[in-house]
Amino acid sequence: MAPAVPLAVLALAALAAPGLGAAPGCDHPAHRWCSSRDIAAACQVQSRCPSLPHPAAAPVELSLYYESLCPACREFLVLKLFPTWLLLPEEMLSITLVPYGNAQACLMHEAKNFSTYFPVIFCLESGSSVTENLEACLKIYAPELDSGRIAACVQGDTGVALMHHNAQVTEALEPPHQYVPWITVNGKHTDELQALAEASLLGLVCHLYQGEKPEICGGSKAPKFPPGCRR
């Protein structure tokens, strides 16, 4: 009985068979054709390489311009933005926070990492006082951060400089911001985008993301509003 031929060998033989060869000018051996998307494209054999990874899609970029403890800002950050961030994989959603309030600006400056400071900001916005709750929120979500350094930043020149920077970034918005929270999605702001983000942020991000979507997106749909309608 003849020995069985491994499937991999048969697959390579099929790739190299007459009429199924690579494009002229392909200088890669047949066993390398499906090793990367670039090589498959160069040899024009993408349709015969089903195991190739899909190119990564760009994340949906959301920027939030807000005032600390502003009621509408708190509602969006605590009830919409933070839960959406928790539910989605990090490659789907990239968030930029631009707060008006030097305590949060100093927290971001000291923590550096978004996944470190965002839960703390969520905790602060969930309470009644940023300064009074800072110590408790740090203990829960980021015990590695030094509250003394953050307090020194708030009371010193660094906090002033950070606030000045955020003010400049906010003033440079186009169109100019008219209220808070002010939301931009992929660098754009319209009344319709603002309304969609406030109504169903998860649905909006799932709708806009061009890559492979997680199961959580299966039942979420971006609500539809007529252009210019905020609510």
Side-chain angles (χ1 to χ4, degrees):
M1 184 175 180
V5 180
L7 289 176
V9 174
L10 291 174
L12 289 175
L15 282 172
L20 292 175
C26 172
D27 56 359
H28 300 279
H31 70 276
R32 295 283 299 160
W33 289 352
C34 293
S35 62
S36 77
R37 184 166 292 276
D38 289 341
I39 292 176
C43 297
Q44 297 182 17
V45 295
Q46 300 100 310
S47 62
R48 283 175 273 148
C49 300
S51 63
L52 280 176
H54 295 288
V60 175
E61 297 182 354
L62 184 144
S63 296
L64 175 64
Y65 301 80
Y66 68 104
E67 294 177 7
S68 180
L69 297 184
C70 146
C73 303
R74 295 174 69 182
E75 179 181 355
F76 179 75
L77 191 151
V78 172
L79 300 181
K80 301 291 177 63
L81 187 58
F82 189 75
T84 299
W85 177 70
L86 289 177
L87 289 170
L88 295 176
E90 61 180 12
E91 63 267 20
M92 274 190 69
L93 178 61
S94 175
I95 300 171
T96 299
L97 300 178
V98 185
Y100 186 82
N102 56 2
Q104 293 191 16
C106 284
L107 167 65
M108 294 165 62
H109 176 72
E110 288 295 327
K112 304 292 192 289
N113 189 294
F114 183 85
S115 61
T116 299
Y117 63 70
F118 192 30
V120 180
I121 289 176
F122 161 78
C123 178
L124 294 173
E125 292 292 338
S126 300
S128 58
S129 171
V130 171
T131 53
E132 292 180 7
N133 295 335
L134 178 60
E135 189 80 33
C137 289
L138 286 175
K139 286 181 179 179
I140 297 171
Y141 291 104
E144 71 277 14
L145 294 180
D146 184 346
S147 61
R149 288 177 59 88
I150 297 173
C153 170
V154 170
Q155 298 168 8
D157 293 339
T158 301
V160 174
L162 291 171
M163 282 303 305
H164 179 66
H165 171 75
N166 282 1
Q168 288 181 314
V169 172
T170 303
E171 289 302 317
L173 283 168
E174 185 59 43
H177 86 290
Q178 301 171 7
Y179 46 80
V180 288
W182 186 263
I183 302 165
T184 67
V185 180
N186 291 334
K188 298 179 180 179
H189 174 92
T190 66
D191 287 344
E192 184 179 15
L193 276 175
Q194 178 93 17
L196 291 171
E198 291 177 342
S200 177
L201 181 60
L202 178 63
L204 177 62
V205 175
C206 288
H207 175 73
L208 293 176
Y209 184 63
Q210 298 300 304
E212 185 175 351
K213 300 176 184 181
E215 288 186 12
I216 191 67
C217 288
S220 62
K221 297 181 180 179
K224 298 184 182 301
F225 288 87
C229 177
R230 283 205 57 207
R231 296 186 185 280

